[in-house]
């Protein structure tokens, strides 16, 4: 989900070696540990111009935690898990007990090293502002300099908001206003991607460009989420395939002709783009700054992308503190879920354990708002699924395959010893104090 996936992409670590939780942006340990080197810093070593747009959600306690501190020469976006698309108010600092609970005026929009007040004050749709900045970056860029843009769309994350003219295009969806919003937001994203692609072609940059597009998690199927992961089980914040197996594609003129239009079925992880981008830029992916912190887990997957190899470079993947997937060897394709923390919505209700239908949410799902009936799932002693033969996870094979369960459980216990856990501290009230000094905008506070 939000913070762990973004932290993984930027740092090249698995979430279990960096951050497994969506914490509070006002916590000094939120996001990526300070001494880990970000992918933008690596590419900058190779002479790349580096820019970040959109959702950051990987820490902001100090300037070192911000996009600028991670190697981005410019950035424009927000620090929290979400903010309002029009008034830019963030989410977590204002919840019950949050450090800024009593201050309803604070906003979350940052421009490299300062509040983006001039942009936030216009009341424009946030994705419109980000799109404009992207076109400005491309217009000003000298094609002789290599370019890296990390464009993390707010769309299609909550709160579901979109300009009315886009919403009107989906007025034919009558039984789910939530799904109508979701479709309209995806269409807005398609428009932006199309325009950026067109601009790259106009500048003569397309033939040497690689575009990687990936979600950070499966779609949210809880009430108000608007997504549909059919036929996979579960959704965002769960360890079912509907929560962790995501849509992704690679495009661009740099992609060899023979690799285009292919579907890759092997196991890769979002952290793998770290080593892959380093390879393409001819820089060493090893992080020499991290000291005793976990090292880079990322594997170079370029040969998989271009079709030279269809074998995953991984042996196994400890995806969360509860879930291991065996990638190679005699037990390849088997997935172990151990425990109860990630088989329900945030460890609570079991509304993430079921399956959606081809049309979801619909009129029978909470008046079209989404949300599924509770489905029991007991993985306290280990659930076992063959996600190659049964990607929908209908059949728990733990009782039928005790030897495989035992083998994966031993590997799981071994790898769980490597899990990194940041110190647990209270959210810092200086976060809100500093925001007030910033003219009402969240920013680094230590």
């Amino acid at each position: 989900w939000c913070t762990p996936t973004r932290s993984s992409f930027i740092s090249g670590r698995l979430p279990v070696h960096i951050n497994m939780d969506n914490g509070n942006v006002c916590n000094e340990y939120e996001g990526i540990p300070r001494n880990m080197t970000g992918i933008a810093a690596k590419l900058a070593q190779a002479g790349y111009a580096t820019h970040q747009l959109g959702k950051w959600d990987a820490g902001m306690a100090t300037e070192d935690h911000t996009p600028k501190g991670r190697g981005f020469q410019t950035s424009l976006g927000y620090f929290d898990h979400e903010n309002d698309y029009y008034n830019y108010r963030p989410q977590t600092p204002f919840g019950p007990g949050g450090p800024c609970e009593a201050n309803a005026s604070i906003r979350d929009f940052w421009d490299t090293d300062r509040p983006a007040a001039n942009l936030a004050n216009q009341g424009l749709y946030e994705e419109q502002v980000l799109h404009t900045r992207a076109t400005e970056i491309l217009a000003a860029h000298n094609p002789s300099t290599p370019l890296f843009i990390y464009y993390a769309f707010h769309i299609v994350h909550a709160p579901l908001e979109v300009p009315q003219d886009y919403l009107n295009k989906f007025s034919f969806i009558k039984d789910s206003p939530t799904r109508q919003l979701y479709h309209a937001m995806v269409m807005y994203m398609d428009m932006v991607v199309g325009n950026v692609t067109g601009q790259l072609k106009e500048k003569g940059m397309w033939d040497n460009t690689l575009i990687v597009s990936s979600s950070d998690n499966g779609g949210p199927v809880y009430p108000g989420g608007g997504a549909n992961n059919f036929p996979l089980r579960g959704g965002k914040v769960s360890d079912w395939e509907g929560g962790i197996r995501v849509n992704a594609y690679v495009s661009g003129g740099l992609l060899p002709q023979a690799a285009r239009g292919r579907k890759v079925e092997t196991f890769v992880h979002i952290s793998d783009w770290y080593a892959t981008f380093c390879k393409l830029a001819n820089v060493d992916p090893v992080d020499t700054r991290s000291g005793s912190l976990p090292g880079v887990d990322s594997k170079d997957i370029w040969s998989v992308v271009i079709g030279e190899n269809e074998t995953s470079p991984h042996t196994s993947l400890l995806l969360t503190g509860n879930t291991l997937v065996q990638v190679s060897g005699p037990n390849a394709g088997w997935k172990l879920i151990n425990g109860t923390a990630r088989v329900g919505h945030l460890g609570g209700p079991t509304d993430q354990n079921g399956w959606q239908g081809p049309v979801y949410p619909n009129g029978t799902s909470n008046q079209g708002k989404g949300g599924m009936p509770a489905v029991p799932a007991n993985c306290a002693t280990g659930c076992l699924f063959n996600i190659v033969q049964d990607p929908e996870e209908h059949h728990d094979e733990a009782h039928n395959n005790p030897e495989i369960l035992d083998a994966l459980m031993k590997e799981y216990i071994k790898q769980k010893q490597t899990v990194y856990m940041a110190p647990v501290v209270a959210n810092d009230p200086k976060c809100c104090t500093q925001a007030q000094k910033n003219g009402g905008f969240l920013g680094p506070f230590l």
Side-chain angles (χ1 to χ4, degrees):
W1 45 337
C2 303
T3 306
T5 302
R6 293 156 200 278
S7 298
S8 180
F9 169 73
I10 295 164
S11 73
R13 275 82 169 177
L14 296 172
V16 293
H17 295 149
I18 179 170
N19 188 322
M20 288 189 289
D21 295 310
N22 270 6
N24 194 302
V25 71
C26 289
N27 192 294
E28 65 176 292
Y29 290 105
E30 169 71 356
I32 304 170
R34 191 171 185 172
N35 290 337
M36 289 185 177
T37 303
I39 182 60
K42 286 289 187 180
L43 296 181
Q45 294 174 15
Y48 276 71
T50 57
H51 306 275
Q52 183 268 341
L53 293 165
K55 180 173 178 175
W56 180 242
D57 203 4
M60 69 159 202
T62 71
E63 186 175 277
D64 289 344
H65 290 87
T66 69
K68 180 181 179 181
R70 299 295 180 192
F72 288 99
Q73 294 158 3
T74 75
S75 66
L76 179 65
Y78 60 102
F79 292 117
D80 198 17
H81 310 314
E82 65 184 58
N83 65 354
D84 188 274
Y85 285 83
Y86 289 99
N87 64 31
Y88 303 89
R89 287 201 62 233
Q91 174 198 31
T92 54
F94 304 97
C100 304
E101 181 180 7
N103 193 325
S105 64
I106 289 176
R107 291 177 287 174
D108 185 6
F109 208 48
W110 196 257
D111 193 347
T112 309
D113 55 6
R114 59 194 181 278
N118 61 320
L119 297 172
N121 289 337
Q122 297 178 36
L124 296 174
Y125 189 57
E126 185 172 43
E127 290 293 357
Q128 177 185 346
V129 177
L130 298 173
H131 180 202
T132 298
R133 177 61 63 89
T135 61
E136 292 171 350
I137 290 171
L138 289 174
H141 182 72
N142 184 341
S144 66
T145 300
L147 173 67
F148 174 55
I149 298 180
Y150 170 39
Y151 199 149
F153 286 86
H154 187 170
I155 288 175
V156 286
H157 197 287
L160 301 187
E161 298 173 327
V162 72
Q164 187 64 43
D165 56 334
Y166 277 82
L167 187 61
N168 291 343
K169 297 177 188 296
F170 294 89
S171 59
F172 60 89
I173 298 177
K174 304 294 186 183
D175 59 353
S176 177
T178 301
R179 192 64 177 168
Q180 182 185 4
L181 278 163
Y182 201 91
H183 277 295
M185 293 173 76
V186 171
M187 186 177 189
Y188 195 99
M189 176 190 283
D190 285 345
M191 177 272 293
V192 174
V193 172
N195 288 349
V196 169
T197 298
Q199 194 171 1
L200 287 166
K201 292 178 178 178
E202 290 173 4
K203 285 185 70 76
M205 298 172 62
W206 179 255
D207 289 345
N208 200 33
T209 291
L210 180 71
I211 293 179
V212 176
S213 180
S214 175
S215 178
D216 56 351
N217 44 248
V221 295
Y222 42 75
N228 185 358
N229 303 309
F230 177 82
L232 301 178
R233 185 176 187 176
K236 178 180 178 178
V237 306
S238 79
D239 280 4
W240 304 114
E241 290 297 278
I244 61 177
R245 180 183 293 207
V246 303
N247 298 313
Y249 68 83
V250 178
S251 184
L254 186 66
L255 197 65
Q257 189 68 39
R260 300 175 190 180
R262 294 174 56 249
K263 183 177 182 180
V264 179
E265 296 283 359
T266 194
F267 293 92
V268 297
H269 192 273
I270 196 166
S271 62
D272 293 333
W273 293 114
Y274 188 98
T276 306
F277 290 169
C278 284
K279 172 193 173 67
L280 294 174
N282 197 28
V283 294
D284 188 349
V286 174
D287 190 350
T288 59
R289 295 181 60 243
S290 55
S292 61
L293 293 168
V296 170
D297 297 304
S298 180
K299 306 292 185 184
D300 171 21
I301 57 171
W302 184 241
S303 63
V304 175
V305 171
I306 63 176
E308 290 181 352
N309 175 25
E310 294 186 359
T311 302
S312 172
H314 296 280
T315 302
S316 61
L317 289 165
L318 184 64
L319 298 177
T320 70
N322 294 86
T323 298
L324 175 88
V325 172
Q326 190 67 36
V327 175
S328 63
N331 297 323
W334 288 94
K335 172 181 174 181
L336 170 72
I337 300 179
N338 186 55
T340 59
R342 301 273 299 189
V343 296
H345 181 194
L346 300 177
T350 54
D351 63 352
Q352 297 294 288
N353 293 339
W355 297 263
Q356 306 99 64
V359 179
Y360 175 91
N362 51 49
T364 62
S365 55
N366 190 20
Q367 292 80 49
K369 298 177 182 177
M372 300 180 296
V375 175
N378 184 2
C379 296
T381 58
C383 292
L384 185 68
F385 299 91
N386 188 319
I387 54 174
V388 174
Q389 299 177 7
D390 177 29
E392 296 88 6
E393 296 171 301
H394 285 291
H395 307 290
D396 180 2
E397 298 286 350
H399 294 296
N400 299 329
N401 295 275
E403 294 180 355
I404 296 176
L405 176 65
D406 183 63
L408 263 67
M409 189 68 76
K410 288 179 179 177
E411 183 64 22
Y412 163 77
I413 292 171
K414 174 185 173 182
Q415 291 197 33
K416 196 169 182 182
Q417 303 307 309
T418 71
V419 170
Y420 169 79
M421 297 293 291
V424 178
V425 300
N427 299 324
D428 198 326
K430 290 194 292 291
C431 172
C432 188
T433 303
Q434 184 60 49
Q436 293 170 331
K437 294 179 181 178
N438 291 341
F441 286 82
L442 289 178
F445 54 90
L446 294 178

